[in-house]
Amino acid sequence: MNIINVANIDYSSIRHPDDEKTINLLNKIPGFKSFLKNTVGKFRESYNEVEYTGNGYDVNFKSMPELYSLLKDTARILGAQKIPSCSTDWYYGISSFTMGDKNPRIILQSGTIELLSPSELRFVFGHELGHLLCGHKPYHMLLEVIYSPFYGEDLAMKAIAATVKLPLMEWYRNSDYSADRVGLLACQDLNVALTTMIKMAGLPQKYYNDINVKAFIDQVVEFEKSFNGKLDTIAKRAYIKSSDFPLLVHRAANLLEWYQSGEYSNILANNKRII
């Protein structure tokens, strides 16, 4: 499969509308982003480096050359100026996250590496790089500090945190929709993006050779139509607002909508260089 280099893309132009609205609002606060990078960001990055270089296993050309080569190639396709550090974390499920901004580190759970194909790992790397390229990490780190056990028991600080936690958590979930778009631009195969989500949803490994993407799309469409009764609607909203991450069906629905809008195809059409 030929992969088109999309390094010249303006990532602010592909952010999900709700993500774009909040990022623009936060970026307009004089000195706020710089303040976060020099205070919250420095603390979180130092803390993360101690945690994940102390407990994780570094992914590099010596330790895991094929995986590191895939990360490096994905970063090149997307035009990332810096290749993040990468390390593993023990958990036999499919999960990943990115820590830091100035010195970012992608963390891959062990199950992610074992259960995903190289193309699906490219989608995951693209998703994590997307958070960096879309400018999410300074504000992600603010939330991480608010939830940190080191935040303290001071009631005044807790009151301040409460005023920003819920609206920022809403944005935090929306930021995944933008990152999924970057993940799709990285792997350049909608089926790959969806099979990654299907595996994350708990598909047993014995069914990996016969994944029914259409059945998942049908589930996504049906979910969007369902739970419209008064009680169901309240329960649905309550669950979503209490979650750290968006529902997988919502991620799939948002990615499908963006793919079908033609914006994805236009980006590839305007970037002719093949890798």
Side-chain angles (χ1 to χ4, degrees), residues 146-190:
I146 289 173
Y147 278 97
S148 169
F150 297 105
Y151 194 70
E153 298 298 323
D154 184 86
L155 293 177
M157 293 302 288
K158 283 189 173 183
I160 293 170
T163 64
V164 299
K165 189 180 290 187
L166 284 179
L168 275 180
M169 280 305 303
E170 181 75 23
W171 163 76
Y172 188 90
R173 290 187 291 269
N174 292 334
S175 72
D176 263 349
Y177 301 143
S178 300
D180 281 341
R181 295 177 178 186
V182 184
L184 180 57
L185 289 170
C187 71
Q188 297 180 16
D189 187 328
L190 181 63

Side-chain angles (χ1 to χ4, degrees), residues 3 61 68 87 123 162 169-170 175 217 250 255 265 273 275:
I3 301 289
F61 271 130
Y68 185 77
S87 57
F123 172 77
M169 280 305 303
E170 181 75 23
S175 72
I217 293 174
H250 279 175
L255 190 60
S265 297
R273 185 180 165 198
I275 301 299

Side-chain angles (χ1 to χ4, degrees), residues 47 68 93 135 145 173 228:
Y47 182 83
Y68 185 77
V145 167
R173 290 187 291 269
N228 294 320

Side-chain angles (χ1 to χ4, degrees), residues 16 181 251-263:
H16 184 275
R181 295 177 178 186
R251 286 179 60 181
N254 275 276
L255 190 60
L256 276 167
E257 182 180 7
W258 185 68
Y259 178 84
Q260 292 167 351
S261 74
E263 189 175 347

